[in-house]
Amino acid sequence: MPKLWNDTITEHRHAVRDAVLDAAAALVHEHGLTGVTMSQLAAAAGIGRATLYKYFPDVQAVLLAWHERQVTGHVQQLAAARDEAGEPLEKLAAVLRTYALIGHRHHGTDLAAGLHRGPHMADAEQHLHALIRDLIADSAAAGAARTDVDAAELAQFCRHALGAAADLSSEAAVERLVTVTIAALRPEPAA
C-alpha cells in the first residue's frame, strides 16, 4: 500500500480511538462508572458496535485506555511544569504544586477510585517518584534542599503528604499544603 494510504488509515484509527475514549469520559460523568454500555459508547462515538468491538473487547478495556490517556497527560503536565521553572527548587515546587492540584481536581470520583488500581499505574507512579527524587537531589546539590534524608525517602514523603490534597476544600488549601511540604524539604539552618 502507498504511504499516504497507510498514514490516512493510521490517522483514522487514532481518531476513532480518541472519539471512543472521549465518549467514555462523557458517559461515565453522566451515568457513573458502572452505567456505561458498549452500545452507548458506539452511539456517542458515532460508530457502529461492530467497529467498537474491533478496537475494544469490553467497557472495562475502554475505561482503562481512557484512564491511561489521562495519566499520560498528567505526566506530561508535570514535565511541562518542571521545564517551565528555573532553579532546581523552583522546578521541584512547580512539579509538587502541579501534582497536588491534579490530585485535588481529579481524585474522589468513582472513575478515579475504580481505575487507579489498574496495572498501568505502576509505570506512572515509578516515573513520578523518579521525577520528584531527581528534583530533590538537584535541589540538595544546589544547597536548597536537605541532605540529611535520602532523596528517595523525601520523594515518598512528598507524594504521601500531597496525597492529602484530594480531600482539601479549595485550591488555596492545596497551595498551603504545598508550601508546608516544600518547607519540610529545606535544609536545616546552621546552629
Side-chain angles (χ1 to χ4, degrees):
M1 281 188 253
K3 182 175 178 357
L4 179 61
W5 178 255
N6 284 338
D7 289 347
T8 303
I9 290 173
T10 300
E11 288 173 16
H12 173 74
R13 287 182 179 146
H14 286 296
V16 169
R17 189 174 195 283
D18 285 342
V20 171
L21 299 182
D22 292 342
L27 289 169
V28 167
H29 181 71
E30 184 179 340
H31 300 287
L33 188 60
T34 59
V36 178
T37 67
M38 291 295 270
S39 295
Q40 290 171 322
L41 281 167
I47 60 174
R49 278 185 23 189
T51 300
L52 178 58
Y53 280 106
K54 288 179 184 179
Y55 287 83
F56 299 100
D58 54 30
V59 173
Q60 183 66 19
V62 174
L63 296 176
L64 285 174
W66 175 82
H67 191 252
E68 189 171 353
R69 183 177 74 171
Q70 291 297 103
V71 169
T72 299
H74 293 160
V75 169
Q76 291 169 347
Q77 281 181 278
L78 294 169
R82 175 200 61 208
D83 295 344
E84 291 172 6
E87 298 298 317
L89 189 61
E90 292 170 357
K91 290 179 182 294
L92 176 60
V95 166
L96 295 181
R97 184 172 293 104
T98 301
Y99 174 68
L101 287 171
I102 288 169
H104 176 70
R105 293 175 184 151
H106 296 285
H107 196 275
T109 65
D110 288 342
L111 185 60
L115 296 175
H116 271 115
R117 291 184 297 267
H120 63 286
M121 289 299 295
D123 286 340
E125 288 174 0
Q126 287 176 351
H127 180 79
L128 173 65
H129 179 79
L131 174 65
I132 295 172
R133 179 200 63 218
D134 293 349
L135 290 171
I136 290 170
D138 292 348
S139 296
R146 60 190 316 145
T147 58
D148 60 329
V149 179
D150 183 69
E153 292 176 24
L154 290 173
Q156 279 293 96
F157 161 75
C158 291
R159 290 180 55 217
H160 287 286
L162 296 175
D167 299 323
L168 296 177
S169 60
S170 68
E171 288 189 10
V174 172
E175 186 62 39
R176 289 189 295 274
L177 178 64
V178 171
T179 300
V180 168
T181 303
I182 293 168
L185 300 175
R186 293 194 182 273
E188 293 289 325

